[in-house]
Amino acid sequence: MHWKDLSTESKLIEIIEKSKSKPQVIYKHSTSCGTSFLVKERLEENETPESADFYLLDLLRYRSISNLVASQFKIHHESPQVLVIKDGVCVYNKSHSGIKMDAIVNTLETV
């Protein structure tokens, strides 16, 4: 799996714009959380779908960006958490053990 970094407000704006032509996936990852590492590992065991770009947001280093993501998409912050963004809107989000690549792929196929 190839993760792109989400570490700036301008990158978030770019993700929103890109979501108008291709779904974007944001994985909010805490480097101090065992569950977050397990979920990330589980995602990385899968082939990356070409139908979306996948971004990794380090919650500890970029907390202000995480807060901006929650505010922008009107979602409650969780960690770990995955969001699928399409047309500038969060169309899917799950946290903790609910994060599964097959569910993400199913969402990408329907948006």
Side-chain angles (χ1 to χ4, degrees):
M1 169 165 273
H2 174 72
W3 296 106
K4 298 179 181 189
D5 287 329
L6 171 51
S7 57
T8 64
E9 185 174 344
S10 61
K11 183 57 78 173
L12 179 58
I13 292 166
E14 180 183 317
I15 289 168
I16 293 167
E17 283 304 309
K18 287 174 73 175
S19 78
K20 294 175 183 174
S21 59
K22 181 180 184 181
Q24 305 293 297
V25 178
I26 298 172
Y27 179 64
K28 295 169 68 178
H29 175 65
S30 172
T31 56
S32 68
C33 172
T35 300
S36 192
F37 273 104
L38 289 173
V39 170
K40 182 176 176 278
E41 235 175 46
R42 192 172 63 208
L43 290 174
E44 290 172 342
E45 290 173 352
N46 295 276
E47 190 172 321
T48 307
E50 293 184 20
S51 58
D53 297 318
F54 282 71
Y55 290 86
L56 182 70
L57 172 56
D58 180 334
L59 298 176
L60 298 183
R61 291 184 67 196
Y62 304 107
R63 183 61 186 206
S64 63
I65 303 302
S66 176
N67 291 340
L68 188 58
V69 167
S71 172
Q72 175 69 39
F73 299 114
K74 298 173 181 43
I75 57 159
H76 178 73
H77 165 76
E78 297 281 348
S79 171
Q81 185 174 37
V82 70
L83 296 82
V84 176
I85 311 302
K86 178 65 178 148
D87 295 323
V89 176
C90 180
V91 295
Y92 175 86
N93 85 83
K94 289 291 179 186
S95 65
H96 297 85
S97 62
I99 300 172
K100 295 181 175 41
M101 184 60 87
D102 61 340
I104 295 169
V105 170
N106 286 341
T107 299
L108 294 174
E109 291 172 350
T110 62
V111 294

